[in-house]
Amino acid sequence: MTTNALELETVSKRFARTSALSEVSLIVPDGQLRAIIGPNGAGKSTLFAVVSGVYPPTAGRIRFYGKDITGQRPASLVKQGMGRAFQVARLFLDMTVHENVLAAVHARRGSAWQFFRTLASDRAAIVEVEALLEEVGIAAKARVVASSLSQGDKKLLELTMALALEPRLLLLDEPTAGMSPAETQRTVDIVADLHERRKLTVLLTEHDMSVVFALAEEVSVLHYGGMLTTGTPEEVRSDPQVIEVYLGEPL
């Protein structure tokens, strides 16, 4: 029997008189890499915000590995194994790459912030940080201050920090936004490798269709806050409705 990592049951979200999501149902099996696509304003960012606890849904239910998490806050969801990387990387810009990842390890451990200096001398934590930086391919930038990184490296650092939280489900919001073609390809390779080796469940939003079709096992399409269709990349890229409302032409 397949375990579902994430289930949305007729989830809606309203802001005043605006409906951002309308009765969205979605099932993401454990270990799947699923992409969410759609035009600007389709509801992708709102969907991520609702799933990750930033916004409570107006209606509907959300389950995470079978547990009802509807309305739970981000900190609670992180403890249960949900990690998120944002469209604009959220980092400690005045700290080094190594220190940023060390802070994420510290957060997972639940240590009080005043003990950060003690954690910095914790050999096990340091070894973990070094392994994570190697895994994501930015070990050479370990002593670089985060504010000095390229856009691509900032997003890879945020991805590393999310991995430090040991997530079962990883939410990636526009993981290649603002990247050069070389950085984009590097990110695609890293995400594909992490998904395969760690058996991570990944849910991502992305405007670059070459990235979507290179990574996703299934693709769900949002339109005006509702779920238009879900299918394999081949099915979605040739779907007349998707071509009409988003792709413009078969890809």
Side-chain angles (χ1 to χ4, degrees):
M1 182 176 178
T2 301
T3 301
N4 293 324
L6 184 67
E7 299 175 59
L8 276 65
E9 182 180 328
T10 58
V11 168
S12 298
K13 180 61 183 177
R14 294 187 63 86
F15 298 97
R17 298 183 180 181
T18 301
S19 177
L21 294 175
S22 179
E23 298 188 343
V24 172
S25 293
L26 175 71
I27 295 176
V28 180
D30 180 45
Q32 187 183 72
L33 201 160
R34 173 75 64 89
I36 306 290
I37 67 172
N40 289 333
K44 303 184 298 297
S45 293
T46 302
L47 177 67
F48 263 45
V50 168
V51 168
S52 61
V54 176
Y55 300 142
T58 305
R61 312 305 300 174
I62 303 173
R63 285 181 287 275
F64 183 52
Y65 285 96
K67 180 181 178 180
D68 192 328
I69 59 166
T70 309
Q72 291 190 24
R73 301 299 296 161
S76 173
L77 299 179
V78 167
K79 290 178 181 178
Q80 295 175 66
M82 188 181 295
R84 179 176 178 181
F86 292 82
Q87 182 173 350
V88 178
R90 301 185 179 187
L91 308 170
F92 300 106
L93 293 176
D94 59 343
M95 291 165 56
T96 67
V97 167
H98 186 279
E99 289 168 341
N100 269 270
V101 181
L102 190 61
V105 171
H106 155 101
R108 189 193 75 235
R109 290 184 173 192
S111 309
W113 181 257
Q114 60 262 35
F115 296 120
F116 182 72
R117 289 184 180 274
T118 301
L119 186 63
S121 63
D122 183 331
R123 184 58 192 166
I126 291 171
V127 169
E128 182 178 348
V129 170
E130 291 172 349
L132 285 164
L133 293 174
E134 286 286 352
E135 184 177 22
V136 181
I138 55 172
K141 306 289 178 66
R143 304 303 170 189
V144 175
V145 175
S147 60
S148 301
L149 296 173
S150 68
Q151 171 68 1
D153 283 338
K154 284 179 179 176
K155 301 202 73 168
L156 288 179
L157 172 55
E158 190 186 40
L159 173 59
T160 311
M161 293 170 71
L163 292 174
L165 300 175
E166 297 184 345
R168 292 191 287 172
L169 170 64
L170 182 61
L171 306 175
L172 300 178
D173 189 1
E174 299 285 346
T176 67
M179 290 187 182
S180 68
E183 289 175 327
T184 295
Q185 186 58 55
R186 178 178 61 161
T187 301
V188 167
D189 293 342
I190 290 168
V191 171
D193 180 63
L194 288 170
H195 172 248
E196 176 63 26
R197 284 189 302 100
R198 286 183 171 238
K199 308 304 179 187
L200 271 175
T201 306
V202 180
L203 183 65
L204 66 84
T205 65
E206 180 60 63
H207 277 97
D208 187 331
M209 290 301 97
S210 66
V211 172
V212 169
F213 294 133
L215 286 173
E217 296 168 289
E218 280 198 297
V219 180
S220 294
V221 186
L222 285 176
H223 186 52
Y224 289 128
M227 187 62 69
L228 182 65
T229 190
T230 291
T232 65
E234 293 74 19
E235 290 168 341
V236 167
R237 72 201 309 172
S238 61
D239 187 306
Q241 291 185 95
V242 180
I243 293 170
E244 180 181 355
V245 305
Y246 186 48
L247 299 180
E249 60 183 31
L251 296 177

